[in-house]
Amino acid sequence: LENIVVTAYRRIAASATNLKPLMDRLDKAQGEERRSLWRILGTRGGQEVQNKLKKAFGEKRDEGYLRDAMIGLASLQTPVDLALMLKVFEETKDDVLKITAAKGVVKRVSFPHGLSAAEWIGQWGIALKMTQKAQDQQKIFTSIADYTGSEVIEFLGEKEKDKDLKLYAQAALEQ
């Protein structure tokens, strides 16, 4: 059902008017319905959804609401929200939020966005700062291996000096 709703919403502009029914319902929803609405809104994306997410994390909300909102944030496929994920990751004491933020960042840097090498390097740096799992680090380096250029090679050279990242950086350089 979520996929059908997302498909329908992708056929219309992501304006405040068009998203209002979902946004209004979100404020009243609980449990799985709220998580579903956040997934739909996050997958739909757009400036209105980004504003709603920034507002959610800017207010003092209960952990359950923020965990559900993180589902939406992690679903967004735009690079602008990595800073918000990093902020949540650094400021929260909730381990579930930290893990969800880190997974969202790994997912985000695994998809091409048309960013410059310098912007990508910043994104990869944030992602590596947030991840501790070898599996997530490997995904990040696999995406880095798809890029070339002296800046990327220099970035990988720096990561080779880190004993925990050395093998992944070497593999990306070889590729």
Side-chain angles (χ1 to χ4, degrees):
L1 184 59
E2 285 178 24
N3 289 336
I4 292 169
V5 173
V6 168
T7 300
Y9 267 91
R10 282 196 172 144
R11 294 181 181 176
I12 59 175
S15 67
T17 304
N18 294 337
L19 295 175
K20 186 174 181 1
L22 292 179
M23 297 276 203
D24 288 348
R25 184 66 194 161
L26 181 66
D27 293 331
K28 298 172 190 118
Q30 296 288 321
E32 187 54 40
E33 180 186 8
R34 185 170 64 196
R35 286 185 288 280
S36 180
L37 287 167
W38 273 122
R39 280 190 296 271
I40 291 167
L41 289 167
T43 303
R44 175 58 185 101
Q47 192 59 50
E48 293 298 322
V49 174
Q50 291 179 33
N51 292 343
K52 182 80 167 174
L53 285 162
K54 287 176 185 171
K55 183 178 177 189
F57 286 102
E59 299 173 345
K60 292 291 181 194
R61 295 281 198 151
D62 67 90
E63 286 179 357
Y65 186 89
L66 293 179
R67 286 178 181 179
D68 294 347
M70 182 56 77
I71 292 168
L73 184 58
S75 298
L76 282 173
Q77 296 189 9
T78 53
V80 294
D81 292 294
L82 281 184
L84 180 55
M85 285 190 189
L86 180 62
K87 180 179 186 261
V88 170
F89 181 83
E90 290 177 339
E91 293 177 0
T92 189
K93 296 188 182 349
D94 183 343
D95 289 337
V96 173
L97 275 178
K98 281 186 182 289
I99 291 166
T100 308
K103 286 186 179 300
V105 168
V106 170
K107 176 183 167 190
R108 185 77 41 81
V109 300
S110 298
F111 297 113
H113 296 296
L115 302 176
S116 70
E119 291 170 313
W120 267 120
I121 288 168
Q123 305 272 322
W124 296 325
I126 290 171
L128 289 170
K129 180 192 272 191
M130 292 174 68
T131 58
Q132 300 299 317
K133 293 177 109 182
Q135 173 183 348
D136 292 337
Q137 292 169 342
Q138 184 176 13
K139 285 180 186 175
I140 295 166
F141 280 100
T142 298
S143 70
I144 294 171
D146 291 337
Y147 293 84
T148 58
S150 59
E151 294 167 303
V152 175
I153 292 169
E154 184 179 324
F155 177 79
L156 289 170
E158 289 174 21
K159 299 306 169 195
E160 265 188 310
K161 297 173 188 170
D162 183 322
K163 65 179 175 67
D164 296 326
L165 304 176
K166 182 178 181 171
L167 294 176
Y168 299 128
Q170 287 173 341
L173 278 166
E174 286 175 22
Q175 189 171 349

